[in-house]
Amino acid sequence: MYQYDQYDHLIVRERIAQYRDQVQRRLSGELTEEEFLPLRLQNGLYMQRHAYMLRIAVPYGLLSTAQMRMFAHIARKYDRGYGHFTTRQNIQFNWIELEHTPDILADLASVEMHAIQTSGNCIRNVTSDELAGVAADEIIDPRPYAEVLRQWSTFHPEFIALPRKFKVAINGALEDRAAIAIHDIGLTVVKNEAGEIGFKVMVGGGMGRTPIIGTTIREFLPREHLLTYTEAIMRVYNQYGRRDNKYKARIKILLKAIGAEEFARQVEEEWADLKGTEETLTLEEMERVIAYFQPHPYEALPAIDPRTGHEDNKAFANWLGRNVKAHKQPGYAAVILSLKKTGVPPGDATAEQMDFMADLADRYSFGELRVTHEQNIVLADVKQSQLFDLWKEAKAHGLATPNIGLLTDIICCPGGDFCSLANAKSIPISAAIAERFDHLDFLHDIGDIELNISGCINACGHHHVGNIGVLGVDKDGSEWYQVSIGGAQGNATAIGKIIGPSFSAHQMPEVIDRLLQVYLRERTLDEKFVDTVQRLGIAPFKEHVYATPITEPGRLVGEDEYA
Amino acid sequence: MPDQKIIKGNQIVADDWTVLRLEEGQEPATAEVAAGKVIVPLKVWQAQKETLAGRADIGVWLNSDERPEELTEELAENKFDVIAVNFPKFTDGRGYSIAYNLRKRLGYTGELRAIGDVLRDQLFQMKRTGFDAYAPRPDRSIEDALKGLTVFSETYQASVDDKLPLFRRHVRTTGVREHNDIGSGI
């Protein structure tokens, strides 16, 4: 993984000094809260419902064990013993004191980490494929380019006060595991016929209250132009993006307003002044960064069937089937540690679990871990021969729930329990659904399905692209949940369709159950839930869900038009 | 305003320019431009160009939603000693791109001044994008604001202040891990 050189260290050190001074000025009253707000946001510090929340950058989700142990330390020393891994492959702590934040940054710097641009109206942490570098379907490892972008965007002087937040994702494999189509910029690493490396550039994807799938504005951008072309996009957006309405300020709205062709033309015009200037990446710089992402020193091992010797162990087989992914190196596999055990908020891990995951990575996976945008943790380089031992250990720590890609592998934002933006709670909905379907055979029978829950329209829980999406809404001061189906992420990204009037929290498990009943009744052999929805449309699902009221004694049945 | 001060370059200096701001509803064509050094709004300049063009003591300021390209002709003639960019709100970052384009695309070499909601924590990025003069908000200490110019001693990316990005300015060390070349990283 990337390691800081003297310049990276210097910039992060000077950042801490700057931020420490800003906190001091806030505490002394020299800075008003209004003035401090964008400064703290650019450092990932939010004021939440109960306390400050600090979001720490995990560039493209990649972590060393020392970094993971630092999270455990922060959880113990400055928080309440746990942290929350996010859909942006970052981690956030929910109970932070403002006065402690400069010291936390200093602790982070000791393991080459920071909280720069994890929030605010600037270029956010670049996200990528959690299987980068090891996936069998990979064309080129995207991480060196994500790192080059990270450095370029760090404190970019021109793009620090954009109309709105700006998210970039990069993918290097055939399968899109980075959800690039729902990002402001989505990059796919490709090779052209001459074998040159470049990017397919997609712009204007995003969720929030206007979900839009990104549009490709360039089929092939030679890699040396990555920074100048991105700069051209940013300059057009910074000048012409709307600033009068924060809900219409994302680049997707600009793209829609002027059209993708016109947008691309403006970018090309801006780029004409930049193309070939000294901002162009050099081969030396690309090779320098690529050198940090060389494959680990794998042993030459035969590919084996990890079940051998454990044929009767159904639990192990379930885990292998769901939580273990193919690796490009024979004899190795990638393991997903599930942070979706029933009863635990999705993405949460305790300090003990963090330390334990670091131990596992040291012993089984070259001392590295990755955070997934589905809020799980990956050990990417595990010997197949060690999977059984790893499984037993992970199981003992509540990290081997065999539910990756299943109904209970829910993407869920922190919702109204923590977030001051939320209209409704999301964690209890996730918990009630997980509890209702806490039956492994049933879950495995349902198969691949993505259930995503957001507590508000900002869509941190990616509800638009869930096969089943749940959105918390406020109606006359009470919490309701709107359900959509047919959304999908990845290569066939689709925005889900709302099935009808909203439901109360208590109705949600039954709503999910009814949706599944239609699927089980109508599915063809091996057909996934989302494919059944796409084949039949939402009508049969809607009809069944609303056919009879979902009642609960003493409780309001639902919205008026539905009751 | 003889005792008015701004930051120019890296120091606090006396400033003898006046910034003309229109009242709400005031017509650019009829706004009175006083004698002496005045920085007028772009719209006033455009409406009164015929009379103002003869004066050597006129500067112009752009608001964040105005385009520097509108001054292309004047810039080619080196018309202004001072151009200012207004930050109506410190959270409005359009001024940085305006400054960049004035310097890089339109080749402006005179004084480029940040006016409006200008606070200490913006000065570093203002300097980087091409400003060389700053009129910090009058309710704040200008001495404190000066500290905002020297926050970082290194930066990653190129901008107006340095056309070379870090990777061209310095030889950066590489910690290459030993490996056996399975699947090239490239």
Side-chain angles (χ1 to χ4, degrees):
Chain A
M1 69 188 290
Y2 185 75
Q3 280 161 23
Y4 283 11
D5 70 358
Q6 65 194 99
Y7 301 105
D8 301 297
H9 279 294
L10 179 65
I11 289 168
V12 167
R13 223 169 30 239
E14 290 180 335
R15 165 50 156 196
I16 297 168
Q18 177 196 34
Y19 179 77
R20 195 181 286 279
D21 181 57
Q22 289 168 343
V23 169
Q24 216 45 55
R25 282 186 278 142
R26 172 70 196 112
L27 293 171
S28 72
E30 190 184 327
L31 279 173
T32 65
E33 181 54 27
E34 191 202 3
E35 289 162 6
F36 184 56
L37 176 84
L39 305 179
R40 67 169 160 80
L41 287 183
Q42 283 158 21
N43 199 59
L45 191 70
Y46 282 79
M47 184 63 204
Q48 290 293 35
R49 203 162 282 258
H50 311 288
Y52 278 109
M53 177 204 94
L54 180 67
R55 183 181 295 149
I56 294 161
V58 184
Y60 33 93
L62 187 61
L63 280 173
S64 71
T65 51
Q67 292 172 334
M68 183 63 110
R69 289 193 181 96
M70 181 54 75
F71 292 160
H73 165 77
I74 291 168
R76 286 194 188 97
K77 185 168 177 187
Y78 302 104
D79 205 277
R80 296 188 178 178
Y82 67 96
H84 175 74
F85 290 96
T86 76
T87 53
R88 301 237 16 102
Q89 299 180 295
N90 291 326
I91 187 169
Q92 54 200 38
F93 292 97
N94 278 304
W95 305 93
I96 295 293
E97 303 281 347
L98 174 62
E99 292 82 342
H100 291 155
T101 50
D103 293 337
I104 297 175
L105 295 191
D107 286 350
L108 288 169
S110 73
V111 291
E112 305 186 359
M113 297 203 103
H114 58 73
I116 296 163
Q117 290 170 212
T118 53
S119 180
N121 293 334
C122 46
I123 303 171
R124 302 285 188 89
N125 179 38
V126 176
T127 55
S128 188
D129 178 3
E130 66 260 18
L131 297 181
V134 306
D137 67 336
E138 186 164 273
I139 304 159
I140 295 138
D141 188 342
R143 295 172 300 176
Y145 304 100
E147 175 60 29
V148 163
L149 275 172
R150 178 191 77 82
Q151 296 190 17
W152 169 82
S153 63
T154 296
F155 303 131
H156 196 297
E158 201 182 332
F159 309 127
I160 203 74
L162 294 167
R164 196 83 169 84
K165 60 186 169 182
F166 201 93
K167 300 175 178 181
V168 182
I170 179 166
N171 181 54
L174 293 176
E175 189 188 334
D176 168 22
R177 282 175 290 265
I180 57 167
I182 52 167
H183 282 76
D184 297 293
I185 296 179
L187 299 167
T188 307
V189 192
V190 284
K191 265 187 187 167
N192 68 7
E193 283 171 8
E196 292 158 340
I197 298 162
F199 304 92
K200 190 172 99 165
V201 183
M202 207 179 235
V203 177
M207 291 189 286
R209 76 180 52 198
T210 316
I212 296 178
I213 293 169
T215 309
T216 299
I217 61 163
R218 207 169 220 283
E219 286 293 340
F220 189 81
L221 176 74
R223 62 175 173 160
E224 63 269 27
H225 300 307
L226 175 64
L227 302 184
T228 53
Y229 194 79
T230 306
E231 182 172 326
I233 294 172
M234 300 310 301
R235 189 162 297 129
V236 171
Y237 170 59
N238 189 35
Q239 294 174 97
Y240 300 109
R242 284 180 63 169
R243 288 171 192 262
D244 57 324
N245 179 341
K246 74 180 237 182
Y247 299 112
K248 294 189 173 168
R250 300 287 294 271
I251 197 171
K252 62 190 174 185
I253 305 291
L254 173 64
L255 211 73
K256 213 178 160 190
I258 66 175
E261 273 182 31
E262 170 59 16
F263 179 81
R265 190 196 63 74
Q266 290 187 17
V267 170
E268 293 289 329
E269 194 179 296
E270 198 67 59
W271 188 45
D273 284 354
L274 289 166
K275 188 180 177 182
T277 62
E278 284 155 310
E279 296 185 52
T280 308
L281 272 165
T282 59
L283 188 61
E284 293 72 31
E285 174 64 0
M286 286 185 278
E287 286 179 344
R288 179 184 80 90
V289 180
I290 286 167
Y292 287 108
F293 297 92
Q294 295 299 324
H296 291 292
Y298 298 118
E299 291 172 36
L301 296 172
I304 60 161
D305 183 347
R307 273 170 303 190
T308 308
H310 311 285
E311 285 84 354
D312 298 332
N313 193 327
K314 192 180 161 203
F316 180 53
N318 280 343
W319 182 77
L320 287 175
R322 298 306 321 186
N323 299 36
V324 177
K325 304 293 171 192
H327 197 291
K328 67 166 105 171
Q329 178 68 17
Y332 285 82
V335 168
I336 305 179
L337 299 172
S338 172
L339 298 182
K340 309 295 179 67
K341 187 179 161 73
T342 299
V344 178
D348 275 15
T350 64
E352 291 67 34
Q353 285 177 321
M354 293 179 206
D355 277 338
F356 171 70
M357 290 190 282
D359 285 347
L360 283 184
D362 275 339
R363 285 188 282 125
Y364 293 107
S365 195
F366 297 106
E368 280 181 7
L369 312 99
R370 293 113 180 270
V371 185
T372 78
H373 84 269
E374 287 95 351
Q375 305 171 288
N376 293 306
I377 300 294
V378 169
L379 302 177
D381 299 283
V382 180
K383 286 180 192 168
Q384 287 177 321
S385 60
Q386 295 188 317
L387 285 170
F388 186 75
D389 291 342
L390 169 61
W391 171 70
K392 277 195 303 189
E393 289 195 58
K395 197 165 184 287
H397 286 80
L399 294 164
T401 309
N403 63 348
I404 300 304
L406 298 179
L407 184 67
T408 55
D409 185 13
I410 298 169
I411 292 180
C412 182
C413 73
D417 291 298
F418 295 98
C419 180
S420 51
L421 300 173
N423 292 113
K425 293 187 179 68
S426 51
I427 292 169
I429 304 301
S430 155
I433 295 168
E435 206 171 300
R436 167 83 165 248
F437 300 101
D438 193 19
H439 190 284
L440 272 176
D441 287 340
F442 182 67
L443 288 179
H444 281 257
D445 180 40
I446 300 293
D448 288 323
I449 187 167
E450 287 152 16
L451 173 56
N452 297 355
I453 306 175
S454 299
C456 81
I457 198 70
N458 290 304
C460 293
H462 297 185
H463 64 277
H464 295 296
V465 292
N467 301 158
I468 299 175
V470 178
L471 167 65
V473 291
D474 174 83
K475 205 174 148 75
D476 302 329
S478 53
E479 297 180 4
W480 295 90
Y481 297 87
Q482 193 177 68
V483 175
S484 57
I485 58 173
Q489 60 178 13
N491 297 38
T493 298
I495 307 294
K497 291 191 177 70
I498 297 163
I499 62 167
S502 311
F503 305 94
S504 72
H506 304 276
Q507 293 172 322
M508 280 311 302
E510 176 65 16
V511 172
I512 304 298
D513 196 53
R514 290 184 182 188
L515 289 170
L516 295 174
Q517 286 166 22
V518 179
Y519 164 62
L520 293 171
R521 188 179 77 207
E522 302 290 342
R523 71 175 168 187
T524 61
L525 192 68
D526 293 336
E527 193 177 41
K528 289 180 188 175
F529 175 86
V530 67
D531 296 330
T532 308
V533 176
Q534 275 158 13
R535 178 167 58 83
L536 297 177
I538 66 169
F541 293 89
K542 178 176 180 161
E543 194 184 307
H544 185 62
V545 169
Y546 293 98
T548 55
I550 302 168
T551 55
E552 194 177 335
R555 293 236 175 237
L556 192 60
V557 171
E559 285 189 322
D560 296 343
E561 62 264 51
Y562 164 52
Chain B
M1 278 180 279
D3 59 346
Q4 177 181 301
K5 289 192 168 87
I6 61 163
I7 296 172
K8 188 153 181 195
N10 292 314
Q11 47 188 328
I12 299 164
V13 297
D15 174 45
D16 50 5
W17 287 88
T18 308
V19 177
L20 174 68
R21 289 180 181 269
L22 297 183
E23 304 285 320
E24 204 171 311
Q26 197 181 355
E27 284 300 320
T30 56
E32 192 189 332
V33 181
K37 294 180 164 185
V38 187
I39 304 173
V40 302
L42 174 66
K43 287 198 169 61
V44 170
W45 166 258
Q46 288 171 332
Q48 303 186 29
K49 203 183 286 189
E50 281 181 22
T51 45
L52 294 178
R55 286 174 58 174
D57 53 1
I58 293 294
V60 68
W61 65 267
L62 296 161
N63 209 355
S64 61
D65 60 351
E66 293 174 327
R67 309 291 315 135
E69 286 81 3
E70 298 206 33
L71 293 172
T72 303
E73 278 178 34
E74 290 91 329
L75 288 168
E77 297 166 13
N78 256 336
K79 198 94 200 154
F80 304 113
D81 292 333
V82 175
I83 294 179
V85 177
N86 185 47
F87 286 77
K89 200 72 202 109
F90 61 88
T91 49
D92 184 341
R94 283 176 284 194
Y96 305 120
S97 284
I98 293 172
Y100 180 94
N101 275 334
L102 273 170
R103 293 292 196 204
K104 282 275 190 177
R105 180 173 283 185
L106 301 168
Y108 176 64
T109 54
E111 178 183 321
L112 184 54
R113 182 185 297 196
I115 60 171
D117 206 4
V118 174
L119 296 169
R120 168 179 168 175
D121 293 288
Q122 292 149 270
L123 260 52
F124 189 79
Q125 60 249 38
M126 285 175 170
K127 180 171 90 175
R128 294 215 61 209
T129 51
F131 289 97
D132 58 359
Y134 321 86
R137 230 168 63 188
D139 62 332
R140 296 303 156 93
S141 149
I142 195 165
E143 286 77 17
D144 281 344
L146 199 57
K147 297 176 193 161
L149 287 170
T150 49
V151 180
F152 291 100
S153 51
E154 278 294 351
T155 55
Y156 284 114
Q157 59 297 100
S159 192
V160 176
D161 63 329
D162 198 332
K163 64 179 181 176
L164 298 182
L166 181 61
F167 58 79
R168 287 191 198 253
R169 286 201 307 272
H170 298 291
V171 175
R172 303 192 68 185
T173 49
T174 302
V176 187
R177 187 187 287 130
E178 288 196 347
H179 63 88
N180 57 355
D181 275 332
I182 297 163
S184 163
I186 324 185

